[in-house]
Amino acid sequence: MLKVGRHSKIISNLGAHVSIAGGFDLAIDRALSVGCGVMQIFVKSNRQWFAPPLKKEMCRPFLEHPRRKELQCIFAHSGYLINPAAPEGDVRKKSIRALIEELQRADQLQLPFLVLHPGAHLGAGVEEGIRRVVKALDEAVEKTSHAKTCIALETTAGQGTSIGHELEHLASILEKVKQSKRFCVCVDTAHLFAAGYEIHKEKGYQKTVSRLDQLIGLKQVAAFHLNDSKTALGSRVDRHEHIGKGKIGLSTFRWLLNDKRFFTIPKVLETPKSEDMHEDRENLRRLYQLLK
């Protein structure tokens, strides 16, 4: 973690999504090697439905890592196959089971929340999709009542029939779930932009934050994904780009990083990277330079 005078606390809340290849403990080493103060991980392969149960000896190196406390927050992202909005059938059953198992794994790793895409309604319409999402989430939360890990619903780009590209969608889900205390929100900059929110303009940024506060509440925001966008405003296509290299530009990230309302909220990159993660180091350095 880089420290720059009075900004050290703010910088400690910047980081990236990090690979768990070779073991969860190695993710901590990778994150710290590029200057992360927070990190996001998967709790299993993101391209597989299920994984063998986690045993205590598999968690111990991660939980007892001597440098773990140097990361201010470690949280998880769910696998991409999970679709809580799916209709009755095999995919829905697998989605709910996978979500339950990932919540259990995240809880074993003592992670505060698991970021989850609300899913795609596959032609049934947003209203029906939200109903399905709520039902799936209620089941998953009920079957993990022992767990402390919450679910952070993520804003989406609106690609295909996905739900969550309008803040109203997330607000509706949060209003209807039975145990609202187990839920929070993760805001993705690239997704907001692709969904049509004019966060590249200062008035648009402020309007979007005000809308977020009005519909959901800023206290519900648990994390940000800091991603530029390869695609245009309102494209509803989810393609991440390096900070300042996409259609959003640097100004949005400057406003967000210097917004006192979000100083303590963890913010992670999900930008393209190679195995040595030098791109993360460069993107983080670019973000540091935007701090006033």
Side-chain angles (χ1 to χ4, degrees):
M1 176 178 63
L2 299 180
K3 293 184 181 293
V4 184
R6 66 187 180 88
H7 293 306
S8 60
K9 185 176 181 181
I10 302 171
I11 290 176
S12 71
N13 286 292
L14 297 179
H17 182 95
V18 181
S19 170
I20 58 170
F24 295 107
D25 56 315
L26 296 183
I28 295 177
D29 297 328
R30 294 185 182 103
L32 293 174
S33 74
V34 295
C36 291
V38 297
M39 77 171 181
Q40 175 182 272
I41 59 172
F42 291 121
V43 294
K44 63 169 183 56
S45 169
N46 64 309
R47 298 295 183 184
Q48 294 181 354
W49 280 109
F50 311 112
L54 276 181
K55 297 181 180 179
K56 288 184 178 180
E57 55 267 29
M58 298 169 67
C59 299
R60 190 173 295 115
F62 175 78
L63 296 174
E64 299 178 1
H65 193 291
R67 299 186 66 191
R68 176 172 173 156
K69 290 185 178 180
E70 293 181 39
L71 293 169
Q72 300 300 308
C73 181
I74 304 174
F75 59 95
H77 195 297
S78 63
Y80 294 139
L81 295 176
I82 296 175
N83 182 9
E88 294 297 332
D90 187 54
V91 171
R92 183 172 180 81
K93 289 179 181 178
K94 286 182 177 179
S95 294
I96 295 173
R97 177 189 159 189
L99 177 56
I100 291 169
E101 291 186 5
E102 291 203 15
L103 283 169
Q104 291 170 337
R105 293 170 77 89
D107 192 61
Q108 286 178 271
L109 295 169
Q110 298 178 16
L111 307 182
F113 52 89
L114 175 76
V115 177
L116 174 72
H117 295 174
H121 59 71
L122 305 176
V126 172
E127 185 176 349
E128 172 62 14
I130 288 176
R131 187 194 69 80
R132 293 174 184 170
V133 172
V134 170
K135 186 177 180 181
L137 296 181
D138 282 343
E139 181 175 347
V141 167
E142 182 181 357
K143 291 184 178 179
T144 58
S145 58
H146 63 284
K148 294 181 180 179
T149 301
C150 296
I151 296 173
L153 296 172
E154 182 178 351
T155 57
T156 67
Q159 195 160 313
T161 63
S162 67
I163 296 168
H165 58 282
E166 294 181 15
L167 295 175
E168 287 82 356
H169 297 173
L170 299 189
S172 180
I173 294 170
L174 292 171
E175 182 182 357
K176 293 175 181 177
V177 291
K178 293 179 181 178
Q179 298 187 44
S180 58
K181 291 183 179 180
R182 285 284 301 277
F183 294 90
C184 49
V185 169
C186 176
V187 178
D188 187 304
T189 54
H191 295 175
L192 281 179
F193 183 76
Y197 290 90
E198 296 183 333
I199 58 171
H200 63 307
K201 300 178 181 179
E202 189 165 12
K203 286 186 178 180
Y205 168 82
Q206 296 297 345
K207 182 178 179 181
T208 301
V209 173
S210 294
R211 192 66 177 154
L212 176 64
D213 190 21
Q214 178 185 7
L215 290 171
I216 296 171
L218 299 187
K219 290 183 179 180
Q220 290 289 88
V221 179
F224 282 95
H225 287 163
L226 300 185
N227 303 305
D228 210 325
S229 176
K230 287 186 177 181
T231 61
L233 174 71
S235 64
R236 293 181 65 168
V237 176
D238 182 7
R239 296 291 184 275
H240 297 180
E241 181 58 283
H242 297 295
I243 304 299
K245 301 292 182 67
K247 304 292 185 180
I248 298 177
L250 287 176
S251 293
T252 300
F253 301 100
R254 181 182 295 109
W255 300 325
L256 179 55
L257 290 174
N258 292 288
D259 193 327
K260 294 180 180 179
R261 294 168 291 186
F262 303 128
F263 273 178
T264 61
I265 306 299
K267 305 169 183 69
V268 299
L269 298 162
E270 291 183 318
T271 43
K273 72 182 78 181
S274 51
E275 190 172 344
D276 68 1
M277 297 175 63
H278 71 274
E279 298 92 344
D280 282 344
R281 184 184 297 277
E282 293 167 4
N283 280 314
L284 286 171
R285 193 170 297 280
R286 193 169 293 121
L287 291 172
Y288 300 153
Q289 293 170 349
L290 296 177
L291 289 166
K292 292 182 180 178

